[in-house]
Amino acid sequence: MADCLAGRESGTDELSQQVKRAKTDSENGREAERESECQNILTGFKTSSVLNDSAREKVIFVHGKLADQEAVVIMEKTPVREDTLAELFSGSTLNLEMKNDIYSTYQLQAPPHLNKIKTTVVCPATEKHVKKYQRQELFLVEETGEDYQSITLPYIQQQSFSLQWVYNILEKKAEADRIVYEDPDTKDGFVLAPDFKWDQKQLDDLYLLAIVNRRDIKSLRDLTSEHVPLLQNVFQKGKEAILQRYKLPASKLRVYLHYQPSYYHLHVHFTKLGFEAPGCGVERAHLIGDVIQNLQSDPQYYKTRTLYFQLKENDGLLSKFKEAGKL
Ligand code: GTA
């Protein structure tokens, strides 16, 4: 797609040059994303409830049924891109809403190809998916190393989301044409691919995921100093790959792990600094640089430390902490 990856951050000449170069890369065909039309499977979608929405983020999470199967549909308006401005100005219709002195507001009707909604479908969705996207009150949990062993680990062994999509990426059964970088080493290697929350149309919300090849590390809690070479490899080569592909230097990246993650196969989030990605707050994101240093100073750091994270009121893990008298 030739018009992808045009940046909107025109504040610095250097960065806009980097964005332009990234766009040129894209035009040369290096961008993996392919857009294809498909049958509209959502014509028969029957809405049951709105799980969550945000006028500011322009996103809605809907629970419903798709051909008698439970489904969650996420619809998100995409950002206005600098490289489409000329076409937006010249090719749209404009309806005046109000005019007052030098001020006026309009409804601009953009051409269809500039007026898209990024849509994610989870089908069949489990009850856990429905709960995950439901707006709920949040609670901060303090989890000691012992709590992890006695409460969290037994729960996640029984109740985790399927990792099939992760294995599909590692085995090239899905998203193979989206892979940005791969290190095939079985011990320290990983696959770097765009996160499915990123539509790859602009760098402002850049979001990639490094998924490690090893299948024996569930989360931060499993990490010891033995894994420092793995983390360093992901950090270093991930940054290099992003610099090469998107011309974004390490100083523009936020690289972190989630605790708790939703998917218990070790993966590292690479997002653009300044982009408020869901889950980048202090109660969930652990910078990979800090994780490496903590393990270097104490090999058992993540086995023994109390870790803090938020859980939704309807989360089964929260119930387990309550039952254990920890909340
Ligand atoms: N490339 O198939 C996939 C895929 N899946 C199933 C998940 N991811 C995938 N990436 C590819 N292909 O960043 C990505 C997710 C996430 C990462 C897993 O894998 O997008 P995690 O294990 O730490 O789990 O990371 P996390 O962060 O909880 O997952 P997720 O789905 O991002 O949920 C976080 C919250 O983001 C949700 O509760 C939701 O409320 C919120 N959210 C806000 N906007 C969106 C949106 N547009 N789409 C999805 N979730 C959104």
Side-chain angles (χ1 to χ4, degrees):
M1 185 188 306
D3 64 346
C4 297
L5 294 173
R8 291 190 299 138
E9 188 166 349
S10 48
T12 70
D13 284 350
E14 195 195 347
L15 188 61
S16 58
Q17 285 307 314
Q18 288 162 353
V19 168
K20 277 184 194 140
R21 281 199 298 275
K23 185 180 176 196
T24 307
D25 286 353
S26 155
E27 287 166 347
N28 289 343
R30 268 174 251 168
E31 187 189 353
E33 188 197 4
R34 300 279 178 275
E35 218 176 36
S36 59
E37 278 190 20
C38 65
Q39 197 195 346
N40 179 4
I41 57 161
L42 294 176
T43 47
F45 184 80
K46 292 197 175 56
T47 300
S48 317
S49 64
V50 171
L51 300 170
N52 201 348
D53 62 356
S54 163
R56 191 175 66 84
E57 291 164 23
K58 298 177 184 57
V59 64
I60 188 163
F61 300 78
V62 189
H63 176 211
K65 284 215 164 157
L66 204 50
D68 287 335
Q69 287 189 306
E70 297 296 325
V72 173
V73 175
I74 304 165
M75 291 191 286
E76 186 183 8
K77 291 230 178 167
T78 50
V80 180
R81 306 201 316 266
E82 186 180 340
D83 67 325
T84 63
L85 285 180
E87 205 182 344
L88 267 180
F89 291 139
S90 64
S92 304
T93 55
L94 203 59
N95 296 312
L96 179 69
E97 284 186 332
M98 73 90 185
K99 184 161 174 51
N100 183 351
D101 188 33
I102 59 170
Y103 306 98
S104 47
T105 67
Y106 301 85
Q107 284 292 332
L108 182 147
Q109 184 64 55
H113 67 283
L114 297 180
N115 194 15
K116 294 184 180 173
I117 297 179
K118 182 179 182 329
T119 303
T120 305
V121 179
V122 183
C123 183
T126 62
E127 199 188 331
K128 201 170 160 67
H129 284 109
V130 175
K131 285 182 172 173
K132 172 186 164 99
Y133 293 116
Q134 208 159 30
R135 181 183 285 132
Q136 288 280 307
E137 206 177 325
L138 299 170
F139 294 86
L140 193 81
V141 174
E142 292 184 27
E143 180 200 68
T144 64
E146 294 81 46
D147 293 337
Y148 174 74
Q149 290 298 333
S150 63
I151 304 171
T152 308
L153 183 58
Y155 179 79
I156 61 179
Q157 280 168 338
Q158 286 180 352
Q159 292 284 329
S160 293
F161 284 115
S162 163
L163 295 176
Q164 193 54 52
W165 70 271
V166 173
Y167 301 147
N168 286 348
I169 291 178
L170 293 177
E171 293 166 14
K172 317 280 165 53
K173 290 178 181 165
E175 305 188 41
D177 60 346
R178 289 158 54 94
I179 291 175
V180 169
Y181 177 80
E182 184 181 8
D183 175 348
D185 189 86
T186 50
K187 191 164 156 281
D188 294 336
F190 65 99
V191 168
L192 183 72
D195 190 282
F196 80 167
K197 287 203 288 285
W198 185 35
D199 67 6
Q200 302 180 78
K201 300 234 188 317
Q202 56 283 312
L203 295 182
D204 288 14
D205 56 351
L206 173 136
Y207 199 146
L208 293 116
L209 215 53
I211 301 173
V212 304
N213 292 333
R214 289 177 64 155
R215 298 189 181 195
D216 59 339
I217 311 170
K218 285 185 283 307
S219 75
L220 205 58
R221 276 286 186 207
D222 283 342
L223 294 174
T224 66
S225 53
E226 181 221 329
H227 304 109
V228 166
L230 166 68
L231 296 170
Q232 284 173 328
N233 192 48
V234 169
F235 196 18
Q236 192 52 38
K237 291 190 179 148
K239 287 188 293 189
E240 285 167 13
I242 290 172
L243 179 62
Q244 200 183 352
R245 172 68 71 99
Y246 304 106
K247 315 302 172 207
L248 266 190
S251 59
K252 295 282 174 189
L253 297 177
R254 184 196 290 118
V255 187
Y256 55 96
L257 294 86
H258 275 161
Y259 193 75
Q260 301 281 341
S262 291
Y263 303 97
Y264 289 88
H265 172 111
L266 195 78
H267 55 273
V268 179
H269 303 252
F270 287 75
T271 61
K272 170 110 190 284
L273 198 65
F275 165 52
E276 299 228 346
C280 73
V282 291
E283 69 286 3
R284 189 137 193 244
H286 297 252
L287 288 176
I288 192 169
D290 285 339
V291 174
I292 291 169
Q293 285 197 66
N294 289 336
L295 291 171
Q296 283 170 331
S297 28
D298 176 1
Q300 298 296 312
Y301 187 94
Y302 290 102
K303 301 261 181 208
T304 55
R305 295 291 293 223
T306 294
L307 297 178
Y308 302 85
F309 50 86
Q310 66 178 31
L311 289 177
K312 288 183 174 173
E313 188 170 23
N314 65 0
D315 194 313
L317 183 56
L318 188 78
S319 309
K320 297 287 173 197
F321 271 84
K322 281 183 179 163
E323 283 165 25
K326 298 283 175 177
L327 272 171

